[in-house]
């Protein structure tokens, strides 16, 4: 007759082991998020690891994501990371059906990754490490506790069936599991509320109206051809393109913000929001473009920015002659290197902007303040949530995108696109109107030409030039016979340069090539 000593080693069923791994993950993320709500929202392990992935992804992968996913890159990253964590939790459970050791090791490794992700963040202090450490401890504790609870058997062998749990043991385990799940959810909610209690929107609303001392002249009636299919000259704030590395939009109140100018300067100076807000403000219309914009792409927008001339602030610091770059840092740790000569050039019109299209900057576009420098791609000219401007040599500091192989000097290239009709659009044969956009910031557009198939180039009608720092709209009518045709566009800037037909990828300094659309004329 067999005895308990002769019984096979106890083993968890697959469903129970799986549940233990998932509950340990939930506990770790919930507790980590709770603590992060009080020590630094981006110290939440999930957010910190996602930010680490963004900051340390290979350049090839980053370029692919920007080209393929566009503005969906961050949501897809979050989904992908969640899937990886769930799979790791499942693996931890499956490896620990008899003993918790393997699962504990995996939980520890995941927790240590969260600690490391927070430790390397330049925008988080040492106290922020409490969040991932708490997550690690909670994950290990819950995994160990539930594993022991699941293996606990009543003295009667009948309470165990097929490696699963029955009777009192099952009820105890289920109660413990429900308690862990509920506690994890409550912890995550409290952490979310605490972490977002610093609401930048409230601070933004309290700024009040921004009235420029120097306004732009009224827009001419033909500043755009929106009725003919071009974009509006001024891009509404809600439609303005957004490209940045911020997984979570920084929530910074105006009263807590300051800008420090330091490095190779005669005097280190710091400005508060009130210092900037109380200066005479200037309004300046500037078109911004992302270097990742493909030929014909949407990553370009135009706004009326309000702020102060950056050169005035730099003069107060006294930038030293040997300075080569203005190394800007955002509150979330992102960095940008701008040629110092451009930042200091008063004819360039560089700004510290606090307003956009007649209102304080939207939070997602840099509130309380951002840099706007005409004529350069955004990755070297448009730091949002800026808090530091350090003047240095190029070899002393390397900005985020420069360290990933993008160009040091990044003037926006002369480009154009067809906005209407869209590619592969069905049109009625005969007279077909095409409309679009051209840009050559800080140089100006001289003419735009369009051709059908390999025919002659025909000059399009241009909108009024509002500024050399803004885009320009165009339209033309073409005779399109029945069949499938290709319409192409090219622009010539006021420096005499005509767009090249040769296609080049955005990396390392901007895309080139003619934009073309296919028309199906019936």
């Amino acid at each position: 007759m067999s005895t308990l000593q002769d019984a096979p080693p106890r083993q968890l069923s697959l469903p129970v082991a799986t549940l233990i791994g998932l509950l340990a993950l939930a506990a770790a993320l919930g507790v980590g998020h709770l603590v992060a709500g009080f020590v630094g929202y981006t110290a939440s392990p999930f957010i910190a690891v996602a930010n680490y992935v963004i900051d340390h992804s290979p350049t090839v992968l980053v370029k692919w994501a920007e080209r393929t996913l566009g503005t969906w890159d961050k949501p897809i990253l979050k989904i992908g990371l969640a899937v990886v964590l769930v799979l790791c939790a499942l693996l931890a459970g499956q490896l620990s059906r008899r003993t918790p050791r393997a699962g504990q090791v995996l939980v520890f490794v995941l927790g240590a990754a969260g600690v490391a992700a927070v430790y390397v963040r330049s925008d988080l202090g040492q106290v922020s490490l409490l969040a991932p450490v708490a997550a690690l401890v909670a994950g290990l504790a819950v995994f160990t506790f539930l594993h022991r609870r699941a293996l606990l058997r009543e003295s009667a062998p009948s309470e165990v069936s097929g490696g699963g749990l029955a009777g009192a043991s099952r009820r105890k385990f289920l109660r413990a599991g429900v308690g862990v799940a509920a506690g994890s959810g409550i912890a995550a909610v409290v952490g979310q509320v605490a972490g977002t209690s610093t609401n930048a929107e409230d601070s933004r609303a309290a700024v009040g109206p921004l009235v420029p001392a120097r306004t732009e002249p009224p827009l001419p009636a033909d500043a755009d051809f929106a009725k003919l299919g071009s974009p509006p000259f001024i891009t509404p704030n809600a439609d303005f393109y957004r490209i940045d590395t911020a997984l979570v939009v920084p929530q910074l109140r105006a009263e807590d913000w300051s800008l420090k100018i330091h490095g190779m300067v005669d005097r280190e100076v710091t400005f508060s929001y009130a210092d900037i807000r109380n200066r005479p403000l200037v309004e300046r219309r500037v078109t911004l473009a992302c270097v990742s914009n493909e030929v014909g792409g949407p990553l370009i927008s135009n706004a009326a920015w309000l702020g102060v001339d950056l050169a005035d602030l730099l003069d107060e610091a006294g930038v030293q002659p040997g300075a080569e770059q203005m190394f800007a840092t955002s509150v979330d740790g992102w960095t940008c290197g701008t040629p110092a000569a451009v930042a200091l050039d008063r004819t360039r019109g560089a700004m510290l902007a606090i307003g956009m299209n007649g209102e304080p900057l939207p939070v997602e576009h840099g509130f309380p303040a951002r840099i706007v420098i005409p004529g350069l791609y955004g990755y070297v000219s448009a730091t949002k949530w800026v808090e530091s401007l350090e003047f240095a040599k190029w070899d002393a500091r390397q900005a985020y995108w420069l360290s990933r192989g993008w160009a040091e000097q990044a003037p926006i290239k002369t480009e154009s696109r067809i906005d209407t009709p869209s590619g592969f659009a069905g049109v009625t044969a005969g007279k077909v109107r095409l409309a679009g956009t051209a840009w050559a910031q800080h140089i100006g557009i001289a003419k735009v030409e369009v051709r059908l198939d390999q025919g002659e180039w025909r000059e399009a009608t241009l909108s009024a030039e509002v500024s050399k720092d803004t885009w320009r709209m165009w339209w033309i009518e073409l005779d399109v016979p029945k069949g499938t045709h290709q319409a192409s566009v090219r622009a010539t800037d006021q420096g005499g340069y005509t767009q090249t037909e040769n296609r080049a990828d955005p990396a390392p300094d901007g895309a080139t090539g003619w934009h073309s659309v296919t028309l199906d004329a019936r």
Side-chain angles (χ1 to χ4, degrees):
M1 183 179 225
S2 63
T3 64
L4 288 177
Q5 286 77 12
D6 299 323
R10 291 173 295 177
Q11 178 174 294
L12 301 179
S13 67
L14 285 175
V16 170
T18 296
L19 184 59
I20 290 172
L22 292 175
L23 288 172
L25 173 64
L29 294 180
V31 170
H33 204 62
L34 170 64
V35 177
F38 297 95
V39 301
Y41 186 73
T42 55
S44 178
F46 184 87
I47 298 172
V49 172
N51 278 326
Y52 184 88
V53 172
I54 292 174
D55 291 345
H56 295 85
S57 294
T59 302
V60 173
L61 180 60
V62 173
K63 293 176 182 176
W64 175 87
E66 290 178 339
R67 181 174 59 254
T68 308
L69 305 177
T71 56
W72 282 94
D73 56 347
K74 295 181 186 66
I76 290 176
L77 169 62
K78 293 178 182 178
I79 294 172
L81 179 57
V83 170
V84 170
L85 290 176
V86 168
L87 291 176
C88 288
L90 297 178
L91 180 61
Q94 299 310 306
L95 293 176
S96 306
R97 294 180 64 192
R98 290 187 176 178
T99 172
R101 185 68 54 83
Q104 289 169 332
V105 170
L106 185 51
V107 171
F108 180 84
V109 170
L110 292 175
V115 174
V118 172
Y119 179 78
V120 299
R121 294 289 298 182
S122 61
D123 57 320
L124 293 173
Q126 292 184 349
V127 70
S128 298
L129 289 170
L130 291 174
V133 169
L136 189 158
V137 172
L140 276 176
V142 167
F143 188 89
T144 303
F145 169 73
L146 290 179
H147 197 281
R148 289 176 180 172
R149 175 71 68 178
L151 283 179
L152 183 64
R153 299 186 183 203
E154 298 293 332
S155 57
S158 62
E159 293 224 297
V160 182
S161 176
L165 300 175
S169 294
R170 172 174 291 180
R171 288 192 294 272
K172 290 178 181 179
F173 175 77
L174 291 177
R175 282 198 298 268
V178 170
V180 169
S184 300
I186 292 171
V189 170
V190 173
Q192 181 71 18
V193 172
T196 57
S197 60
T198 302
N199 193 335
E201 286 293 353
D202 291 341
S203 177
R204 178 176 178 266
V207 169
L210 298 174
V211 181
R214 286 183 287 160
T215 61
E216 292 276 50
L219 284 175
D222 59 347
D224 62 43
F225 298 131
K227 292 182 179 180
L228 304 181
S230 80
F233 180 77
I234 294 293
T235 308
N237 290 352
D239 298 333
F240 203 97
Y241 84 92
R242 180 195 163 201
I243 295 291
D244 52 56
T245 63
L247 190 67
V248 177
V249 176
Q251 297 289 319
L252 184 64
R253 299 185 304 173
E255 52 269 35
D256 298 329
W257 175 87
S258 64
L259 175 68
K260 180 170 74 172
I261 302 176
H262 58 118
M264 297 179 65
V265 297
D266 296 333
R267 297 164 299 279
E268 182 176 302
V269 295
T270 300
F271 300 96
S272 69
Y273 190 85
D275 292 333
I276 303 301
R277 174 75 175 80
N278 294 330
R279 287 172 176 249
L281 300 179
V282 59
E283 180 184 44
R284 192 164 290 141
R285 299 179 184 122
V286 178
T287 298
L288 298 185
C290 180
V291 71
S292 299
N293 203 28
E294 299 281 355
V295 171
L299 303 182
I300 179 169
S301 301
N302 185 56
W305 307 94
L306 291 90
V308 298
D309 285 314
L310 184 60
D312 289 343
L313 306 181
L314 301 183
D315 283 349
E316 293 186 29
V319 178
Q320 295 171 0
E324 296 174 341
Q325 69 163 320
M326 182 180 74
F327 188 83
T329 303
S330 168
V331 297
D332 66 347
W334 187 80
T335 55
C336 166
T338 304
V342 175
L344 290 163
D345 182 4
R346 286 188 174 276
T347 66
R348 174 70 63 162
M351 300 176 67
L352 177 69
I354 62 172
M356 181 179 181
N357 292 336
E359 61 185 66
L361 285 172
V363 175
E364 64 271 19
H365 288 293
F367 180 83
R370 66 174 295 166
I371 302 295
V372 174
I373 302 179
L376 300 180
Y377 285 116
Y379 79 100
V380 297
S381 71
T383 306
K384 292 182 277 193
W385 315 290
V386 64
E387 66 171 3
S388 168
L389 299 176
E390 178 185 357
F391 283 84
K393 300 284 189 181
W394 282 114
D395 58 3
R397 302 282 269 161
Q398 195 168 38
Y400 183 91
W401 286 113
L402 267 66
S403 66
R404 287 157 175 77
W406 294 78
E408 182 179 277
Q409 310 287 330
I412 295 175
K413 294 180 177 179
T414 300
E415 279 292 320
S416 57
R417 73 180 184 205
I418 299 170
D419 292 299
T420 304
S422 58
F424 299 98
V427 299
T428 302
K431 293 285 186 183
V432 176
R433 179 186 298 123
L434 288 81
T437 316
W439 57 90
Q441 288 93 311
H442 209 62
I443 300 172
I445 291 293
K447 67 177 179 180
V448 171
E449 298 169 293
V450 182
R451 74 176 183 183
L452 193 66
D453 300 322
Q454 299 300 312
E456 295 292 324
W457 288 101
R458 291 185 52 198
E459 191 166 344
T461 300
L462 287 176
S463 64
E465 182 181 71
V466 176
S467 163
K468 288 179 171 52
D469 291 328
T470 58
W471 56 11
R472 205 164 176 187
M473 313 306 176
W474 59 267
W475 74 275
I476 192 172
E477 281 190 341
L478 298 179
D479 289 313
V480 181
K482 289 184 178 180
T484 301
H485 305 277
Q486 186 177 66
S488 303
V489 63
R490 69 181 185 186
T492 300
D493 63 35
Q494 293 180 20
Y497 170 78
T498 300
Q499 277 183 253
T500 177
E501 181 182 11
N502 299 328
R503 284 278 180 139
D505 290 334
D509 60 357
T512 63
W514 297 339
H515 184 220
S516 301
V517 297
T518 299
L519 306 176
D520 183 15
R522 302 184 182 89

